[in-house]
Amino acid sequence: MGLLDGKTALIFGVANDHSIAWGIAQALHDAGAEVGFSSIESLIDKRVRPLAESIGSTFVEPCDVQVDADIERVFSRWAETHDGLDILVHALAFAKREDLTGRFVDTSRDGFALAQDVSAYSLVALTRAALPQLRRGSSVVTLTYYGAEKVVANYNVMGVAKASLEASVRYLAADLGPDGIRVNAISAGPIRTLAAAGIGGFKGMYRGFVEIAPLRANITPEDVGKTALYLASDLSSAVTGEVIYVDGGFSIMGAPSGD
Ligand code: NAD
Ligand code: 0WE
């Protein structure tokens, strides 16, 4: 008996086997869910399809979340092959590399708009497109980061986009609650994924995190997967509009412990 037996999930944002989205996919699959995938077209054949096949998934569709027609296509394909959706996972973000270094004050108009479009508006667009297929009791889960609330050096325009994403979670939760649909975010501590590769100072931050976080360990995609399983399942039946921290306690600390 799995927590998600008979449920279906559609997961956006697998890039490779280090992706948080893949950690979530494994946790949902292990609990009995049937999982489908959507990612950027260039990743599908080399990366996503082999991972999907390894857990017996056949639904793998390309989607650039900046393109409305791509979003419509994915959900009409889902409708052709399924009779509803229980779990929608949004695990994607993008900003120009040049906007993730130096001063936030130098962010361009188009860099700001791009980060908002891919990293925040896409949650609204995907949720709306999924709505006709989302059943009562279904769950929408997105990924955020502490840089939405406090200044993290170099996170810059992504911090502002994540603040917008977190507010969007609350407005979506208020809209969809009457239909029995819950919307929540997981705020994960730093994880070495493709999106973290080559970020200036990430290595130091990753090491420093372990010294400050009460649990004294880095966060893994499996850690995030387990909280996603809770949010996707009936265990969280009265939880909506929340940001849940999977950060080893990092965000509760005011000053480092000193030892
Ligand atoms: P990742 O690189 O594995 O995943 C990011 C995904 O975003 C990729 O699959 C990429 O293709 C996708 N993406 C980017 N632009 C897109 C577009 N226009 N259309 C469709 N997909 C697009 O990295 P990750 O760390 O697993 O990131 C997943 C989520 O977790 C992101 O929202 C990220 O902000 C968040 N997050 C990451 C960390 C971390 O430290 N890695 C911490 C907290 C939150
Ligand atoms: O949300 C993220 C990363 C999101 C991200 C990463 C990239 C790298 C490649 C968005 N856009 C891009 N664009 C690229 O061209 N994280 C939470 C991981 C992360 O990124 C940081 C961090 C942390 C943590 C950037 C600066 C400082 C800290």
Side-chain angles (χ1 to χ4, degrees):
M1 258 301 277
L3 273 176
L4 300 181
D5 281 343
K7 306 252 181 188
T8 56
L10 182 52
I11 301 186
F12 287 77
V14 173
N16 56 38
D17 61 341
H18 298 289
S19 293
I20 294 173
W22 178 240
I24 295 173
Q26 288 175 294
L28 303 188
H29 168 75
D30 290 348
E34 181 207 326
V35 182
F37 296 90
S38 181
S39 293
I40 285 278
E41 178 142 41
S42 59
L43 296 166
I44 295 276
D45 288 331
K46 190 154 176 253
R47 300 281 179 203
V48 186
R49 208 178 294 282
L51 289 171
E53 280 171 4
S54 76
I55 58 168
S57 298
T58 50
F59 190 94
V60 181
E61 292 293 329
C63 177
D64 179 338
V65 297
Q66 291 197 276
V67 180
D68 288 330
D70 280 18
I71 296 176
E72 281 166 30
R73 212 188 130 273
V74 173
F75 287 97
S76 57
R77 285 280 296 127
W78 186 267
E80 286 165 14
T81 48
H82 298 80
D83 57 6
L85 179 62
D86 301 292
I87 301 152
L88 174 64
V89 177
H90 172 275
L92 54 91
F94 190 76
K96 290 191 218 175
R97 189 170 284 276
E98 70 200 56
D99 289 331
L100 297 175
T101 184
R103 302 192 309 168
F104 172 68
V105 70
D106 294 323
T107 307
S108 65
R109 188 186 296 272
D110 67 316
F112 189 100
L114 173 69
Q116 288 286 337
D117 189 31
V118 177
S119 313
Y121 180 72
S122 62
L123 176 70
V124 183
L126 293 181
T127 302
R128 186 175 57 250
L131 213 44
Q133 302 181 64
L134 288 174
R135 299 193 181 93
R136 276 198 86 77
S138 65
S139 171
V140 178
V141 179
T142 187
L143 269 298
T144 186
Y145 176 62
Y146 192 50
E149 297 168 60
K150 301 287 180 193
V151 173
V152 173
N154 298 318
Y155 199 60
N156 297 3
V157 73
M158 270 308 306
V160 177
K162 290 299 194 189
S164 165
L165 178 75
E166 292 181 13
S168 300
V169 164
R170 293 184 283 272
Y171 280 91
L172 290 169
D175 278 350
L176 307 187
D179 299 325
I181 300 164
R182 299 180 296 104
V183 185
N184 293 286
I186 295 171
S187 187
I191 303 178
R192 283 172 186 261
T193 60
L194 192 61
I199 298 284
F202 192 84
K203 265 192 192 140
M205 199 178 117
Y206 194 74
R207 259 184 269 121
F209 177 87
V210 177
E211 287 166 25
I212 293 171
L215 294 178
R216 300 284 188 275
N218 279 114
I219 304 304
T220 65
E222 293 69 39
D223 293 322
V224 179
K226 287 185 280 184
T227 290
L229 169 57
Y230 155 76
L231 286 174
S233 78
D234 185 62
L235 289 179
S236 58
S237 54
V239 178
T240 195
E242 289 291 335
V243 176
I244 298 194
Y245 295 84
V246 176
D247 70 347
F250 182 91
S251 63
I252 69 164
M253 298 304 289
S257 66
D259 54 49

